[in-house]
Amino acid sequence: MKRTLAATAAIFTALMCAGCSDSGPSADDRKYADAVAAADPADFGDIPTDQLADTLGSEGADLCDKLEEGTFEDAAAYAKTGFSDKETAALISAAVLVYCPEEKSQLP
């Protein structure tokens, strides 16, 4: 009986922690999502922060990579593959604010 109880407790603990490793978006990803929502509330403002952060994924960091490798136009061309001009401007501005403030001079 003691063994069964211990085994049951171990299984219960394993099941409870099955999703423990997925703690959700990082603090920076949440800041990025909040900055995007603030920059374009009409398109992004109604989406909960964690959901928007999960949806955007590495978009902010990727946009910073494009800015670092090239120009604002390069980053905009990259973002425009899935977003409107207004959304693109919000995404890039938020990326600079959160991930690469050293690229601020590239913003129009």
Side-chain angles (χ1 to χ4, degrees), residues 14-105:
L15 290 174
M16 291 300 295
C17 287
C20 292
S21 64
D22 183 19
S23 61
S26 70
D28 280 347
D29 290 346
R30 286 184 179 104
K31 286 180 196 172
Y32 178 60
D34 285 339
V36 168
D40 186 1
D43 290 314
F44 298 110
D46 290 336
I47 304 170
T49 299
D50 282 1
Q51 181 182 347
L52 182 56
D54 283 340
T55 300
L56 293 173
S58 65
E59 185 77 20
D62 294 345
L63 290 170
C64 282
D65 288 345
K66 296 297 179 188
L67 287 170
E68 291 166 5
E69 294 168 2
T71 65
F72 177 85
E73 289 75 21
D74 295 327
Y78 173 81
K80 285 182 182 176
T81 58
F83 299 99
S84 70
D85 290 347
K86 181 180 171 189
E87 293 165 337
T88 294
L91 292 167
I92 295 172
S93 297
V96 168
L97 178 69
V98 175
Y99 295 111
C100 55
E102 69 278 3
E103 299 298 328
K104 187 176 181 180
S105 63

